[in-house]
């Protein structure tokens, strides 16, 4: 997880002071703000939502195409950066929150489910990234940060069926990166490694 | 043959790789280095590497003349601290339902 110093060192300085202030305002009110921007409709960027991403089921080798959010760094998957070897693109498949809640209703109580849905929407569940309705998302979704997949970037790039579902806004992107940090980067993991 | 890229990685990775290689290859005395190679370890070749993006903009955040503790910084740190403090696990029962049905739940 990030330290205070690391956050201070990584405030996006390319933003003007006004834009920084706006970012802070939006973060502090993120539940009522749009996660998405209409900018970059065709570029492939970290935090993008795309449909038609090929996925393979480990258990039986089944294949399908799903909606997903890209975790790969934008620079690492920029076709303008020529490479000797093509990268793989990392993504987390998306799940409709209402379908998950409907399934939960067979096993758990209404209040218990509602409390968890509230926590998910507030980005309080560390293994999930909540994606509200918006962009081309027809409803609320979650990305499961414990369920990551990769495919060759060239397969993704040349897939004519893929459609961009959303581009994260400055606020949405910052929120996404903070959640990734919380979930994946815990320096104080308690293990003595030397 | 083992190929190790050492050129044009601008900062952290390139620097670490180069430093590590230098420490391994240049550090030991000649005799020790000879013995090292005689044991059949692969010879290391340096090849050109396309420019990576790691650290390419490492100074992007540091060089602009903003105060070291601007209101924005303090506010984002505060936001992050709150977010962190409120994190919870999804929970065993919720995880079981999710992962037992994951393939079917994927949005197509």
């Amino acid at each position: 997880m990030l330290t205070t110093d690391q956050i201070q060192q990584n405030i996006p300085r390319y933003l003007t002071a006004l834009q920084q202030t706006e970012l802070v305002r939006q973060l502090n009110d993120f539940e009522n703000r749009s996660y998405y921007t209409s900018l970059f409709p065709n570029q492939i960027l970290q935090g993008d939502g795309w449909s038609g991403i090929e996925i393979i089921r480990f258990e039986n080798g089944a294949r399908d195409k799903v909606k997903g959010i890209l975790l790969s760094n934008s620079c690492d998957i920029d076709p303008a950066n020529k490479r000797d070897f093509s990268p793989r693109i990392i993504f987390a498949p998306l799940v409709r929150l209402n379908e998950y809640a409907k399934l939960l209703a067979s096993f758990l109580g209404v209040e218990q489910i509602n409390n968890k849905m509230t926590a998910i929407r507030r980005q309080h569940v560390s293994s999930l990234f909540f994606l509200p309705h918006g962009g081309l998302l027809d409803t609320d979704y979650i990305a499961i940060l414990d369920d990551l997949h990769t495919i060759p970037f060239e397969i993704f790039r040349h897939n004519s069926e893929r459609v961009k579902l959303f581009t994260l806004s400055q606020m949405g992107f910052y929120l996404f990166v903070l959640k990734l940090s919380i979930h994946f980067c815990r320096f104080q993991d308690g293990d003595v490694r030397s | 043959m083992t190929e190790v890229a050492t050129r044009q990685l601008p900062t952290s990775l390139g620097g670490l790789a180069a430093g590590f290689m230098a420490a391994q290859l240049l550090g030991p005395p000649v005799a020790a280095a000879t013995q090292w190679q005689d044991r059949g370890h692969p010879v290391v070749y340096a090849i050109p590497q396309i420019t990576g993006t790691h650290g390419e903009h490492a100074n992007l955040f540091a060089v602009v003349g903003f105060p070291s503790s601007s209101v924005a910084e303090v506010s984002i740190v505060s936001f992050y601290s709150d977010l962190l403090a409120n994190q919870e696990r999804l929970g065993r029962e919720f995880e079981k339902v999710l992962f037992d049905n994951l393939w079917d739940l994927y949005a197509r």
Side-chain angles (χ1 to χ4, degrees):
Chain A
M1 90 186 58
L2 293 172
T3 65
T4 300
D5 284 345
Q6 286 170 326
I7 293 177
Q8 288 177 334
Q9 288 162 12
N10 287 282
I11 299 290
R13 306 273 184 179
Y14 48 84
L15 301 179
T16 64
L18 198 61
Q19 288 169 326
Q20 286 187 30
T21 304
E22 181 58 22
L23 170 61
V24 169
R25 195 188 346 253
Q26 290 188 15
L27 278 173
N28 285 324
D29 188 33
F30 74 86
E31 290 179 71
N32 301 309
R33 301 286 186 143
S34 172
Y35 278 41
Y36 314 113
T37 176
S38 57
L39 300 174
F40 310 110
N42 300 313
Q43 286 92 332
I44 302 170
L45 301 173
Q46 186 177 41
D48 277 357
W50 288 87
S51 68
I53 309 177
E54 196 156 346
I55 191 171
I56 299 173
R57 188 179 194 185
F58 180 82
E59 288 81 358
N60 60 7
R63 302 171 84 105
D64 209 336
K65 290 185 176 174
V66 299
K67 295 174 179 169
I69 185 170
L70 307 188
L71 274 73
S72 297
N73 184 280
S74 301
C75 297
D76 289 344
I77 52 176
D78 185 345
N81 289 331
K82 301 299 179 194
R83 298 176 183 283
D84 290 332
F85 304 100
S86 179
R88 297 179 73 88
I89 199 163
I90 307 167
F91 71 97
L94 303 186
V95 166
R96 287 184 183 85
L97 193 57
N98 58 4
E99 290 186 5
Y100 177 41
K102 196 182 299 179
L103 207 55
L104 286 168
S106 303
F107 303 93
L108 301 166
V110 174
E111 188 179 351
Q112 196 178 2
I113 295 171
N114 287 343
N115 289 341
K116 190 61 74 177
M117 293 297 125
T118 300
I120 290 171
R121 287 191 166 89
R122 289 178 177 166
Q123 300 290 6
H124 287 176
V125 177
S126 60
S127 59
L128 302 179
F129 185 64
F130 172 68
L131 290 157
H133 164 264
L136 291 186
L137 293 183
D138 50 341
T139 181
D140 295 344
Y141 285 75
I142 50 173
I144 303 150
L145 303 180
D146 280 333
D147 181 41
L148 304 186
H149 301 252
T150 72
I151 59 168
F153 178 68
E154 289 305 312
I155 299 291
F156 175 85
R157 185 183 174 193
H158 296 297
N159 173 12
S160 58
E161 292 178 37
R162 67 180 165 87
V163 173
K164 192 165 196 178
L165 303 170
F166 58 82
T167 304
L168 292 179
S169 65
Q170 195 72 50
M171 182 215 76
F173 178 69
Y174 220 81
L175 202 51
F176 182 56
V177 171
L178 290 178
K179 286 298 295 279
L180 290 182
S181 161
I182 290 170
H183 190 59
F184 288 111
C185 308
R186 297 167 198 159
F187 258 134
Q188 295 83 9
D189 65 1
D191 297 325
V192 179
R193 294 169 187 260
S194 64
Chain B
M1 180 173 69
T2 302
E3 296 181 331
V4 177
T6 59
R7 194 166 71 84
Q8 292 184 6
L9 285 173
T11 55
S12 56
L13 285 182
L16 279 176
F20 181 74
M21 292 303 300
Q24 293 295 311
L25 296 178
L26 303 178
V30 175
T34 304
Q35 287 174 353
W36 188 72
Q37 288 193 354
D38 285 347
R39 287 193 210 118
H41 289 283
V43 178
V44 177
Y45 293 88
I47 60 169
Q49 170 76 22
I50 299 296
T51 302
T53 57
H54 302 285
E56 188 174 350
H57 305 292
N59 59 352
L60 186 66
F61 304 131
V63 296
V64 185
F66 284 92
S68 59
S69 292
S70 69
V71 173
E73 286 177 355
V74 173
S75 301
I76 290 181
V77 169
S78 171
F79 171 79
Y80 179 74
S81 300
D82 288 346
L83 186 67
L84 193 57
N86 285 305
Q87 292 300 297
E88 61 182 69
R89 296 179 65 89
L90 181 57
R92 184 173 179 172
E93 294 164 310
F94 287 89
E95 286 181 11
K96 178 169 174 48
V97 174
L98 181 61
F99 286 105
D100 282 353
N101 299 279
L102 197 52
W103 186 256
D104 295 328
L105 280 170
Y106 286 153
R108 266 75 180 183

